[in-house]
Amino acid sequence: YLFVPGLLPTHQITELNSAVPGLLAGEEQRDGIHRERERSGAVRQVYLTHRYCPPFKAMSKNAAIVEPVKQILGKDIYIWHSKINVKDAFEGTVWLWHQDYGYWMWDGVDPKLVSVMVFLDKATLNNGCLMVAAGSHKWDRLEHYADEETTSYKQWCVDTETLKQRLTEQMIQPIAGEPGDVLFFHCNLLHGSGHNMSPLPRKTIIIAYNELNNKPRSVEKPRPDWAVARQFEPV
Ligand code: SIN
Ligand code: MN
């Protein structure tokens, strides 16, 4: 992974954040934007803003973000999906340890995707900042199982036995930071985050990019377009 403090200027983050209340309040039938909710009803995730919300669309094509991804993946890339992870004050719940490719494999792609997490709020240990396992991108894919109990959201995650064998305390790096900081990470990097125990929200947007020559093969149960984009417009 690569953490770049202050990659996006404050005025850009302010512009993105000012679009968020409207995104949280909207309805999919009207604006095409897909939302997932916590059990409390609070919005947990907002998908497709890179398509339908102008400041987020511009940011997903911003050279400061796209160029480093092209250095990693090559110049022909498209957006696999994007999601604002809201993690609202007190309500935002845990993300169990997982590799994104742990479940993206079932979408019929090879592990050639890179995610970019843009911090929209300050992220701290108190509000559940992301934690990554340094070096785990070299592990290859671990087996994942679907947890449908811990949160409102079906999460593909690594079982405790495997974590006990593989994950050491020294590997765990909390990625605390400021609005405008950006984290680039490989789809096999093990990551997760805790509950938001603080009065401050921890909003981030994660945009995942895929190589154009790694478009999903046809699979038995294709996931919807908000999760696995069927638009392959190069960025
Ligand atoms: C994710 O892995 O998609 C979510 C991680 C987080 O927002 O803490
Ligand atoms: Mn993830």
Side-chain angles (χ1 to χ4, degrees):
Y1 67 90
L2 173 68
F3 181 61
V4 187
L7 185 64
L8 295 187
T10 308
H11 69 87
Q12 247 176 56
I13 300 298
T14 307
E15 194 191 5
L16 294 169
N17 276 331
S18 56
V20 169
L23 292 170
L24 296 182
E27 278 174 46
E28 185 165 359
Q29 295 94 313
R30 291 188 185 192
D31 58 17
I33 287 180
H34 181 79
R35 297 161 183 88
E36 293 284 331
R37 291 177 189 277
E38 305 281 2
R39 288 201 180 108
S40 68
V43 176
R44 177 179 176 86
Q45 293 186 299
V46 184
Y47 284 81
L48 292 173
T49 61
H50 69 274
R51 230 181 254 171
Y52 300 126
C53 180
F56 283 95
K57 185 171 185 171
M59 198 260 295
S60 69
K61 298 172 183 222
N62 183 335
I65 285 173
V66 172
E67 285 308 315
V69 176
K70 290 186 178 179
Q71 284 176 21
I72 300 165
L73 292 181
K75 64 178 174 30
D76 298 318
I77 59 170
Y78 72 95
I79 297 173
W80 171 252
H81 69 211
S82 81
K83 59 216 174 197
I84 299 172
N85 283 354
V86 180
K87 205 179 268 205
D88 225 347
F90 301 119
E91 306 202 62
T93 54
V94 62
W95 290 95
L96 299 168
W97 285 110
H98 67 279
Q99 296 163 310
D100 291 332
Y101 191 69
Y103 58 107
W104 293 354
M105 185 185 84
W106 303 115
D107 298 319
V109 288
D110 294 334
K112 296 181 186 171
L113 298 93
V114 165
S115 287
V116 183
M117 178 186 250
V118 176
F119 290 33
L120 300 173
D121 289 319
K122 189 178 176 73
T124 67
L125 289 173
N126 297 352
N127 70 4
C129 68
L130 190 75
M131 294 185 284
V132 304
S136 57
H137 65 292
K138 293 186 180 154
W139 283 355
D140 291 336
R141 178 183 172 275
L142 303 173
E143 273 315 309
H144 283 59
Y145 75 97
D147 174 295
E148 304 199 53
E149 262 138 53
T150 306
T151 66
S152 61
Y153 186 78
K154 176 159 125 184
Q155 298 191 39
W156 291 93
C157 54
V158 178
D159 67 81
T160 308
E161 268 322 299
T162 309
L163 291 173
K164 282 183 180 164
Q165 285 164 18
R166 302 294 295 264
L167 181 60
T168 64
E169 177 64 23
Q170 296 90 296
M171 293 177 72
I172 302 176
Q173 311 283 325
I175 313 290
E178 298 295 325
D181 294 355
V182 177
L183 177 75
F184 297 83
F185 63 99
H186 183 265
C187 58
N188 270 331
L189 185 77
L190 186 73
H191 61 282
S193 64
H195 193 95
N196 186 345
M197 301 292 280
S198 100
L200 302 177
R202 193 230 64 179
K203 292 189 302 298
T204 58
I205 177 162
I206 302 178
I207 311 159
Y209 297 87
N210 188 17
E211 290 186 21
L212 269 169
N213 65 12
N214 190 35
K215 285 179 198 152
R217 297 178 286 275
S218 74
V219 293
E220 215 170 284
K221 286 188 192 158
R223 290 197 293 154
D225 169 70
W226 54 263
V228 178
R230 245 73 84 188
Q231 291 187 10
F232 305 108
E233 190 189 308
V235 289

